[in-house]
Amino acid sequence: MEIETIPGVSVRFLTEDGTELGGAPIVLPISTSIEQLQLLCNQLLEKADDPIPIAFRTDENVEIVESIQKSLPDDKLNIEKVVVFLPLKNSDEIF
């Protein structure tokens, strides 16, 4: 029986000012959706009970809109990505 492996990418979440969320890279499937990224970030921010909307882009200014895989060309799906998360309301409430 052959086990199918799902391609993954190591992701580091940073604020616009460079503060890292979570402290270490997280390996995610490249099929991870924007909704899943928002859920994960809200959990890391301890905002799961009162989630905030968050937008995401790479450090190369590519916006992630549907999923990691659909937002990045194949040649940009390298092993590690820095993903900047952008809360869509007052960032003072986050940290």
Side-chain angles (χ1 to χ4, degrees):
M1 181 168 133
E2 189 175 317
I3 298 174
E4 184 179 337
T5 59
I6 299 171
V9 62
S10 178
V11 175
R12 292 178 33 224
F13 294 105
L14 301 177
T15 61
E16 283 188 290
D17 68 4
T19 304
E20 188 164 357
L21 178 62
I26 301 169
V27 177
L28 299 173
I30 61 172
S31 61
T32 302
S33 70
I34 187 76
E35 292 83 10
Q36 292 167 320
L37 288 171
Q38 287 183 356
L39 179 64
L40 176 59
C41 275
N42 274 295
Q43 288 174 343
L44 291 171
L45 291 166
E46 298 179 0
K47 295 281 189 182
D49 292 335
D50 187 21
I52 57 172
I54 302 171
F56 300 91
R57 64 175 171 79
T58 68
D59 57 342
E60 300 158 337
N61 266 343
V62 176
E63 186 176 5
I64 299 172
V65 289
E66 192 172 328
S67 71
I68 295 171
Q69 183 175 22
K70 290 183 178 178
S71 298
L72 300 174
D74 289 341
D75 65 334
K76 295 288 185 180
L77 285 173
N78 55 2
I79 193 72
E80 184 171 320
K81 278 288 167 207
V82 173
V83 175
V84 178
F85 69 97
L86 309 161
L88 298 178
K89 65 183 203 180
N90 188 346
S91 61
D92 293 338
E93 298 174 19
I94 294 177
F95 295 106

